[in-house]
Amino acid sequence: MAIKVQQLDSCRWRIPREGAMRTDGLVFASPAMMQDLRREQALEQVCNVATLPGIVGPSMAMPDIHWGYGFPIGGVAAFDAEQGIVSPGGVGYDINCGVRLLRSNLKAEEIHPHLDRLADALFRNIPAGVGSHHSDFKLSIAEERSVLTKGAAWAVEKGFGNDNELEYIENHGTIAGADSEKVSERALERGRSQLGTLGSGNHFLEIQQVEAIYDEDAAAVLGLYPGQVTVSIHTGSRGLGYQVCDDYLKIMLKAARKYGIILPDRQLCCAPLQSDEARDYMAAMACAANYAFANRQMITSHVRETFEEILGKGSADLRMATIYDVCHNIAKWETHRISGQERKLCVHRKGATRAFPPGHKEIPAVYQPIGQPVLIPGDMGRYSYVLTGTAGAYEETFGSSCHGAGRVLSRHAAKKSARGRDIIGDLAKQGILVRAAGRATVAEEMPEAYKDVADVVQVIERAGIGRIVARLKPMAVVKG
Amino acid sequence: MNKGYRLLEHTADMGIEARAESCPKVLEEMARGLTMVLFGDSPASASIAKKVHLREDNSVELMVAWLNEILYWCEQNNLVLAASRIDTLEEGELWATLSGETFDQKRHHIERQVKAITYYQACLEETSGAWHARVYVDL
């Protein structure tokens, strides 16, 4: 299918409405990115999303857009509360896959002599890899239901962190409306022993150092300075979230038939937001999102303990605090101003980050002057970025920005390119230690498999939908 | 493609495509393809077996449920799939037997995690006297 694309400026591309599309597509990308995009099916997926009922504004994609399933990765779409739909495929299997960034009171040179031991200990203390679980920690059913309704607050109640860090998590670490009765037994079973684990694929835990500051005022508010050690945690709702998505895709396939919704792709199956099916999904999705918040909260606690153990310092010396924690895969009720009127919308972000502007009531008081922190991981060989949300994003993209670098090589192509190379050895020569559970993961996740995240965040800043604050360089990476 | 399965390119994920002389056989081939995605060429013996019964609204949804069932069985029980056999297949309903063995780090390896089998471009159809199936998996 040839997609018509009109260049609007150096970073915006319009896909004019045609056929069954109810609205235009709007893609944020550089000309070079657009050339690559035309070779895969992500643009077609932007068009497919534009056909869904009740869509408000364009079907959007951020500059880390790549070919997904159903929605493109990097997709953002908002739906009217009365006329619109919710689609589990527009959230994805890894519900509330997201990133948390921790700052510390440490400088890179202080931890260099201990980096090997730190990497080993993090790899040992935080289970990673396929089906990773804690052998000595399994939730009771009652405890698990409590996790699903309370989210990160459950973890804090159990001693995994402090009350005051909940403020620095999107939605304070708890999505309202969670109802564990809407989560299947199978999903509950899958989640019981996986809390506090990293998982596999593109999930990671990374020790980083602040390599560059671009916005000194914002960096000061975030407590970031050059040479400082930070830690990023990228994981989600594990098997519980995958199962919730799978369970509700089945329900939504039936619902789409029941409500006469024509689907260009089964994975976009959905139900009207006012239907029982949609209400049940939102309640179950909130449970999985809360599980993910609790998961990152527990891992944060394990990271702190590991640093304390290896460096022989107390928490008061390390001062490892959460800068922020963001969701990448979520559908949320939000109020946005459309043509001068406030409207309640269900905003789907599939591989995209909320990026609320300075002054927004839903971001922590201390960040009101600078906007919401937006955490953008790159690949394990280059760098990650910290951005802040802008008024431009709030006006144009329902307060959304990108979520990462975005893949550019298929897994097969990455493995082929890695053949005969020692990726871990090459990274070690650059001063980056890697600990990985799966032998294929490192090859498939090699730096060249991803776009240069610097290109991605430059498009974001040029478009005015995010502001670059700092660049973080990896020192040690734990991969699933 | 000849009869059997092959893995398909996708930027972020992977696809599995299979061809066989019958619908049950093509579903078994898809299971073999999924095993390759999960465990590479790890050899596995059929020391543990499980009976499966699934019912869905149509054949494509049944195929996705079949592969998700295999994924779940392996993940929850720490198993490597050795074989799958479709015992009976009717409109939207199947009875099957899965067999495998407990994952042993000395003899098996995990190639990669599959989060789920998606419905994206999923198909199961008979063309020119052969059955053809395709799914994409979320990695």
Side-chain angles (χ1 to χ4, degrees), chain B residues 12-61:
Chain B
D13 302 306
M14 272 180 126
I16 307 166
E17 187 175 49
R19 214 170 167 79
E21 67 272 20
S22 68
C23 191
K25 289 284 174 217
V26 86
L27 292 176
E28 290 169 6
E29 285 296 335
M30 292 295 279
R32 286 183 57 218
L34 177 60
T35 308
M36 177 57 79
V37 173
L38 290 167
F39 303 108
D41 51 8
S42 296
S45 63
S47 54
I48 299 166
K50 176 192 162 71
K51 293 282 182 191
V52 172
H53 174 220
L54 299 167
R55 183 164 40 201
E56 297 296 339
D57 284 354
N58 57 55
S59 59
V60 170
E61 290 168 26

Short mmCIF file of all heavy atoms in Angstrom, two decimals, chain B residues 12-61:
data_model
loop_
_atom_site.label_atom_id
_atom_site.label_comp_id
_atom_site.label_asym_id
_atom_site.label_seq_id
_atom_site.Cartn_x
_atom_site.Cartn_y
_atom_site.Cartn_z
N ALA B 12 10.63 -4.72 14.95
CA ALA B 12 10.74 -4.87 16.40
C ALA B 12 10.46 -6.29 16.85
O ALA B 12 10.95 -6.72 17.89
CB ALA B 12 9.75 -3.94 17.09
N ASP B 13 9.67 -7.00 16.11
CA ASP B 13 9.20 -8.31 16.55
C ASP B 13 9.61 -9.39 15.54
O ASP B 13 10.62 -9.27 14.89
CB ASP B 13 7.69 -8.23 16.78
CG ASP B 13 7.36 -7.15 17.82
OD1 ASP B 13 7.92 -7.22 18.91
OD2 ASP B 13 6.57 -6.25 17.51
N MET B 14 8.82 -10.42 15.41
CA MET B 14 9.14 -11.49 14.46
C MET B 14 7.84 -12.11 13.98
O MET B 14 6.82 -12.06 14.68
CB MET B 14 9.94 -12.61 15.15
CG MET B 14 11.41 -12.40 15.13
SD MET B 14 12.22 -13.75 15.94
CE MET B 14 13.36 -14.24 14.69
N GLY B 15 7.90 -12.71 12.80
CA GLY B 15 6.73 -13.42 12.30
C GLY B 15 7.05 -14.90 12.14
O GLY B 15 8.22 -15.29 12.05
N ILE B 16 5.99 -15.70 12.12
CA ILE B 16 6.13 -17.14 11.83
C ILE B 16 5.14 -17.44 10.71
O ILE B 16 3.97 -17.07 10.80
CB ILE B 16 5.79 -18.01 13.06
CG1 ILE B 16 6.60 -17.58 14.28
CG2 ILE B 16 6.01 -19.49 12.75
CD1 ILE B 16 6.10 -18.17 15.60
N GLU B 17 5.63 -18.13 9.70
CA GLU B 17 4.75 -18.50 8.59
C GLU B 17 4.94 -19.99 8.35
O GLU B 17 6.05 -20.50 8.48
CB GLU B 17 5.20 -17.72 7.35
CG GLU B 17 4.29 -17.88 6.16
CD GLU B 17 4.74 -16.98 5.02
OE1 GLU B 17 5.94 -17.00 4.69
OE2 GLU B 17 3.90 -16.28 4.47
N ALA B 18 3.86 -20.69 8.03
CA ALA B 18 3.98 -22.13 7.81
C ALA B 18 3.09 -22.56 6.65
O ALA B 18 2.12 -21.89 6.30
CB ALA B 18 3.62 -22.90 9.07
N ARG B 19 3.46 -23.70 6.10
CA ARG B 19 2.70 -24.27 4.99
C ARG B 19 2.65 -25.80 5.21
O ARG B 19 3.66 -26.40 5.60
CB ARG B 19 3.43 -23.97 3.68
CG ARG B 19 2.54 -23.74 2.51
CD ARG B 19 3.35 -23.21 1.34
NE ARG B 19 2.56 -23.29 0.13
CZ ARG B 19 1.63 -22.41 -0.18
NH1 ARG B 19 1.41 -21.37 0.60
NH2 ARG B 19 0.93 -22.55 -1.29
N ALA B 20 1.49 -26.39 4.98
CA ALA B 20 1.37 -27.85 5.15
C ALA B 20 0.17 -28.34 4.36
O ALA B 20 -0.64 -27.56 3.86
CB ALA B 20 1.21 -28.20 6.63
N GLU B 21 0.05 -29.67 4.31
CA GLU B 21 -1.01 -30.25 3.47
C GLU B 21 -2.38 -30.21 4.15
O GLU B 21 -3.39 -30.41 3.49
CB GLU B 21 -0.65 -31.69 3.05
CG GLU B 21 -0.60 -32.72 4.18
CD GLU B 21 0.76 -32.81 4.87
OE1 GLU B 21 1.56 -31.86 4.76
OE2 GLU B 21 1.00 -33.83 5.53
N SER B 22 -2.40 -29.98 5.44
CA SER B 22 -3.70 -29.94 6.14
C SER B 22 -3.67 -28.86 7.21
O SER B 22 -2.60 -28.39 7.60
CB SER B 22 -3.99 -31.30 6.79
OG SER B 22 -3.08 -31.50 7.85
N CYS B 23 -4.86 -28.52 7.69
CA CYS B 23 -4.95 -27.50 8.73
C CYS B 23 -4.28 -27.97 10.03
O CYS B 23 -3.49 -27.22 10.62
CB CYS B 23 -6.42 -27.13 8.95
SG CYS B 23 -6.59 -25.67 9.97
N PRO B 24 -4.55 -29.21 10.50
CA PRO B 24 -3.84 -29.65 11.71
C PRO B 24 -2.32 -29.59 11.56
O PRO B 24 -1.61 -29.17 12.46
CB PRO B 24 -4.32 -31.09 11.92
CG PRO B 24 -5.63 -31.15 11.24
CD PRO B 24 -5.55 -30.23 10.06
N LYS B 25 -1.85 -30.02 10.39
CA LYS B 25 -0.39 -30.04 10.18
C LYS B 25 0.18 -28.62 10.19
O LYS B 25 1.28 -28.38 10.70
CB LYS B 25 -0.05 -30.72 8.84
CG LYS B 25 -0.28 -32.21 8.85
CD LYS B 25 0.82 -32.93 9.62
CE LYS B 25 0.52 -34.41 9.75
NZ LYS B 25 0.93 -34.95 11.05
N VAL B 26 -0.55 -27.67 9.62
CA VAL B 26 0.00 -26.31 9.57
C VAL B 26 0.03 -25.71 10.98
O VAL B 26 0.96 -24.96 11.33
CB VAL B 26 -0.76 -25.43 8.55
CG1 VAL B 26 -2.00 -24.77 9.14
CG2 VAL B 26 0.17 -24.34 8.00
N LEU B 27 -0.93 -26.09 11.81
CA LEU B 27 -0.90 -25.62 13.21
C LEU B 27 0.28 -26.23 13.96
O LEU B 27 0.91 -25.57 14.79
CB LEU B 27 -2.22 -25.95 13.92
CG LEU B 27 -3.45 -25.17 13.41
CD1 LEU B 27 -4.71 -25.66 14.13
CD2 LEU B 27 -3.28 -23.67 13.60
N GLU B 28 0.57 -27.49 13.66
CA GLU B 28 1.74 -28.13 14.28
C GLU B 28 3.04 -27.47 13.80
O GLU B 28 3.98 -27.28 14.58
CB GLU B 28 1.75 -29.63 13.98
CG GLU B 28 0.64 -30.38 14.69
CD GLU B 28 0.45 -31.82 14.22
OE1 GLU B 28 1.27 -32.31 13.39
OE2 GLU B 28 -0.53 -32.44 14.65
N GLU B 29 3.08 -27.12 12.52
CA GLU B 29 4.27 -26.42 11.99
C GLU B 29 4.45 -25.06 12.67
O GLU B 29 5.57 -24.64 12.96
CB GLU B 29 4.16 -26.23 10.47
CG GLU B 29 4.41 -27.48 9.65
CD GLU B 29 5.83 -28.02 9.81
OE1 GLU B 29 6.74 -27.24 10.14
OE2 GLU B 29 6.02 -29.23 9.63
N MET B 30 3.34 -24.37 12.89
CA MET B 30 3.42 -23.06 13.56
C MET B 30 3.99 -23.23 14.98
O MET B 30 4.77 -22.40 15.45
CB MET B 30 2.05 -22.38 13.62
CG MET B 30 1.52 -21.95 12.26
SD MET B 30 2.53 -20.66 11.50
CE MET B 30 1.91 -19.21 12.33
N ALA B 31 3.59 -24.33 15.62
CA ALA B 31 4.12 -24.60 16.97
C ALA B 31 5.63 -24.85 16.91
O ALA B 31 6.39 -24.40 17.78
CB ALA B 31 3.41 -25.81 17.58
N ARG B 32 6.07 -25.53 15.87
CA ARG B 32 7.52 -25.76 15.69
C ARG B 32 8.23 -24.43 15.48
O ARG B 32 9.33 -24.20 16.01
CB ARG B 32 7.77 -26.70 14.51
CG ARG B 32 7.42 -28.15 14.81
CD ARG B 32 7.76 -29.06 13.63
NE ARG B 32 9.15 -28.94 13.26
CZ ARG B 32 9.62 -28.96 12.02
NH1 ARG B 32 8.79 -29.08 11.00
NH2 ARG B 32 10.91 -28.87 11.77
N GLY B 33 7.62 -23.57 14.68
CA GLY B 33 8.22 -22.25 14.44
C GLY B 33 8.34 -21.45 15.74
O GLY B 33 9.37 -20.83 16.00
N LEU B 34 7.29 -21.51 16.55
CA LEU B 34 7.31 -20.79 17.83
C LEU B 34 8.42 -21.35 18.73
O LEU B 34 9.13 -20.59 19.41
CB LEU B 34 5.95 -20.91 18.52
CG LEU B 34 5.85 -20.26 19.90
CD1 LEU B 34 6.14 -18.76 19.86
CD2 LEU B 34 4.46 -20.50 20.50
N THR B 35 8.57 -22.68 18.72
CA THR B 35 9.63 -23.30 19.53
C THR B 35 10.99 -22.80 19.09
O THR B 35 11.88 -22.55 19.92
CB THR B 35 9.55 -24.85 19.41
OG1 THR B 35 8.22 -25.24 19.69
CG2 THR B 35 10.48 -25.53 20.38
N MET B 36 11.19 -22.66 17.79
CA MET B 36 12.47 -22.15 17.27
C MET B 36 12.70 -20.71 17.75
O MET B 36 13.82 -20.36 18.15
CB MET B 36 12.47 -22.22 15.74
CG MET B 36 13.71 -21.65 15.10
SD MET B 36 15.26 -22.44 15.65
CE MET B 36 15.27 -23.95 14.71
N VAL B 37 11.64 -19.89 17.73
CA VAL B 37 11.78 -18.49 18.20
C VAL B 37 12.17 -18.49 19.67
O VAL B 37 13.05 -17.73 20.09
CB VAL B 37 10.46 -17.71 17.99
CG1 VAL B 37 10.55 -16.32 18.63
CG2 VAL B 37 10.13 -17.58 16.51
N LEU B 38 11.56 -19.37 20.45
CA LEU B 38 11.77 -19.38 21.90
C LEU B 38 13.09 -20.03 22.32
O LEU B 38 13.81 -19.50 23.16
CB LEU B 38 10.64 -20.13 22.60
CG LEU B 38 9.27 -19.49 22.62
CD1 LEU B 38 8.22 -20.51 23.06
CD2 LEU B 38 9.26 -18.30 23.57
N PHE B 39 13.36 -21.20 21.74
CA PHE B 39 14.46 -22.02 22.25
C PHE B 39 15.54 -22.33 21.21
O PHE B 39 16.43 -23.13 21.48
CB PHE B 39 13.91 -23.34 22.80
CG PHE B 39 12.88 -23.15 23.87
CD1 PHE B 39 11.54 -23.42 23.63
CD2 PHE B 39 13.24 -22.69 25.13
CE1 PHE B 39 10.59 -23.23 24.61
CE2 PHE B 39 12.30 -22.50 26.12
CZ PHE B 39 10.96 -22.77 25.86
N GLY B 40 15.45 -21.73 20.04
CA GLY B 40 16.42 -22.04 18.99
C GLY B 40 16.35 -23.52 18.67
O GLY B 40 15.26 -24.11 18.62
N ASP B 41 17.51 -24.13 18.47
CA ASP B 41 17.51 -25.55 18.10
C ASP B 41 17.78 -26.46 19.30
O ASP B 41 18.29 -27.56 19.15
CB ASP B 41 18.53 -25.79 16.98
CG ASP B 41 19.89 -25.18 17.35
OD1 ASP B 41 20.05 -24.74 18.51
OD2 ASP B 41 20.77 -25.15 16.48
N SER B 42 17.43 -25.99 20.50
CA SER B 42 17.61 -26.84 21.69
C SER B 42 16.83 -28.15 21.53
O SER B 42 15.63 -28.11 21.31
CB SER B 42 17.07 -26.15 22.94
OG SER B 42 17.79 -25.00 23.24
N PRO B 43 17.50 -29.31 21.67
CA PRO B 43 16.75 -30.56 21.58
C PRO B 43 15.96 -30.80 22.86
O PRO B 43 16.43 -30.47 23.94
CB PRO B 43 17.85 -31.61 21.42
CG PRO B 43 19.04 -31.00 22.08
CD PRO B 43 18.92 -29.51 21.97
N ALA B 44 14.77 -31.35 22.73
CA ALA B 44 13.97 -31.62 23.93
C ALA B 44 13.30 -32.97 23.80
O ALA B 44 12.93 -33.40 22.70
CB ALA B 44 12.92 -30.53 24.11
N SER B 45 13.17 -33.68 24.91
CA SER B 45 12.47 -34.97 24.89
C SER B 45 11.05 -34.78 25.41
O SER B 45 10.74 -33.80 26.09
CB SER B 45 13.22 -35.98 25.76
OG SER B 45 13.21 -35.52 27.10
N ALA B 46 10.22 -35.75 25.08
CA ALA B 46 8.79 -35.64 25.41
C ALA B 46 8.50 -36.34 26.73
O ALA B 46 7.76 -37.31 26.77
CB ALA B 46 7.96 -36.23 24.28
N SER B 47 9.07 -35.84 27.81
CA SER B 47 8.89 -36.54 29.10
C SER B 47 7.66 -36.07 29.86
O SER B 47 7.20 -36.74 30.76
CB SER B 47 10.14 -36.37 29.95
OG SER B 47 10.46 -35.01 30.09
N ILE B 48 7.15 -34.90 29.51
CA ILE B 48 5.95 -34.37 30.19
C ILE B 48 4.91 -34.08 29.10
O ILE B 48 5.26 -33.51 28.06
CB ILE B 48 6.29 -33.08 30.97
CG1 ILE B 48 7.33 -33.35 32.05
CG2 ILE B 48 5.04 -32.44 31.57
CD1 ILE B 48 7.97 -32.11 32.63
N ALA B 49 3.67 -34.44 29.35
CA ALA B 49 2.64 -34.20 28.34
C ALA B 49 1.45 -33.48 28.94
O ALA B 49 1.22 -33.53 30.15
CB ALA B 49 2.21 -35.52 27.71
N LYS B 50 0.74 -32.79 28.07
CA LYS B 50 -0.45 -32.07 28.54
C LYS B 50 -1.50 -32.10 27.43
O LYS B 50 -1.17 -31.92 26.25
CB LYS B 50 -0.08 -30.61 28.83
CG LYS B 50 -1.26 -29.72 29.23
CD LYS B 50 -0.83 -28.25 29.20
CE LYS B 50 -1.99 -27.28 29.14
NZ LYS B 50 -2.78 -27.20 30.36
N LYS B 51 -2.73 -32.33 27.81
CA LYS B 51 -3.84 -32.29 26.86
C LYS B 51 -4.39 -30.87 26.81
O LYS B 51 -4.50 -30.22 27.86
CB LYS B 51 -4.97 -33.25 27.29
CG LYS B 51 -4.58 -34.71 27.23
CD LYS B 51 -4.62 -35.20 25.80
CE LYS B 51 -4.28 -36.69 25.72
NZ LYS B 51 -4.06 -37.14 24.33
N VAL B 52 -4.71 -30.42 25.64
CA VAL B 52 -5.21 -29.05 25.46
C VAL B 52 -6.56 -29.10 24.75
O VAL B 52 -6.72 -29.86 23.79
CB VAL B 52 -4.22 -28.23 24.59
CG1 VAL B 52 -4.80 -26.87 24.23
CG2 VAL B 52 -2.90 -28.06 25.30
N HIS B 53 -7.49 -28.30 25.22
CA HIS B 53 -8.76 -28.15 24.52
C HIS B 53 -9.06 -26.67 24.41
O HIS B 53 -9.09 -25.95 25.42
CB HIS B 53 -9.89 -28.87 25.28
CG HIS B 53 -11.24 -28.61 24.67
ND1 HIS B 53 -12.37 -28.41 25.43
CD2 HIS B 53 -11.64 -28.51 23.37
CE1 HIS B 53 -13.41 -28.19 24.63
NE2 HIS B 53 -12.99 -28.24 23.37
N LEU B 54 -9.22 -26.18 23.20
CA LEU B 54 -9.47 -24.75 22.99
C LEU B 54 -10.67 -24.55 22.08
O LEU B 54 -10.89 -25.34 21.14
CB LEU B 54 -8.25 -24.08 22.33
CG LEU B 54 -6.93 -24.12 23.11
CD1 LEU B 54 -5.78 -23.72 22.19
CD2 LEU B 54 -6.99 -23.20 24.32
N ARG B 55 -11.41 -23.49 22.34
CA ARG B 55 -12.56 -23.16 21.46
C ARG B 55 -12.56 -21.64 21.26
O ARG B 55 -12.47 -20.88 22.23
CB ARG B 55 -13.86 -23.62 22.10
CG ARG B 55 -15.07 -23.38 21.19
CD ARG B 55 -16.28 -24.16 21.64
NE ARG B 55 -16.41 -24.17 23.09
CZ ARG B 55 -17.11 -25.07 23.76
NH1 ARG B 55 -17.71 -26.05 23.14
NH2 ARG B 55 -17.22 -25.01 25.07
N GLU B 56 -12.62 -21.21 20.01
CA GLU B 56 -12.69 -19.78 19.70
C GLU B 56 -13.71 -19.56 18.59
O GLU B 56 -14.25 -20.51 18.04
CB GLU B 56 -11.30 -19.26 19.26
CG GLU B 56 -10.22 -19.37 20.33
CD GLU B 56 -10.46 -18.51 21.57
OE1 GLU B 56 -11.23 -17.54 21.48
OE2 GLU B 56 -9.89 -18.85 22.63
N ASP B 57 -13.95 -18.28 18.26
CA ASP B 57 -15.01 -17.96 17.30
C ASP B 57 -14.68 -18.33 15.86
O ASP B 57 -15.57 -18.52 15.04
CB ASP B 57 -15.33 -16.45 17.36
CG ASP B 57 -16.15 -16.11 18.59
OD1 ASP B 57 -16.55 -17.05 19.31
OD2 ASP B 57 -16.39 -14.91 18.83
N ASN B 58 -13.40 -18.35 15.53
CA ASN B 58 -13.04 -18.68 14.14
C ASN B 58 -11.63 -19.28 14.12
O ASN B 58 -10.93 -19.31 15.15
CB ASN B 58 -13.14 -17.45 13.23
CG ASN B 58 -12.28 -16.31 13.73
OD1 ASN B 58 -11.08 -16.48 13.93
ND2 ASN B 58 -12.90 -15.15 13.97
N SER B 59 -11.22 -19.72 12.95
CA SER B 59 -9.97 -20.49 12.86
C SER B 59 -8.74 -19.63 13.16
O SER B 59 -7.78 -20.11 13.76
CB SER B 59 -9.86 -21.15 11.49
OG SER B 59 -9.89 -20.17 10.49
N VAL B 60 -8.75 -18.36 12.73
CA VAL B 60 -7.57 -17.51 13.01
C VAL B 60 -7.43 -17.29 14.52
O VAL B 60 -6.33 -17.40 15.07
CB VAL B 60 -7.69 -16.15 12.26
CG1 VAL B 60 -6.62 -15.18 12.74
CG2 VAL B 60 -7.57 -16.37 10.76
N GLU B 61 -8.53 -16.99 15.15
CA GLU B 61 -8.48 -16.76 16.60
C GLU B 61 -8.09 -18.05 17.33
O GLU B 61 -7.40 -18.02 18.36
CB GLU B 61 -9.81 -16.18 17.09
CG GLU B 61 -9.98 -14.75 16.59
CD GLU B 61 -11.37 -14.18 16.76
OE1 GLU B 61 -12.09 -14.61 17.66
OE2 GLU B 61 -11.74 -13.28 15.96
#
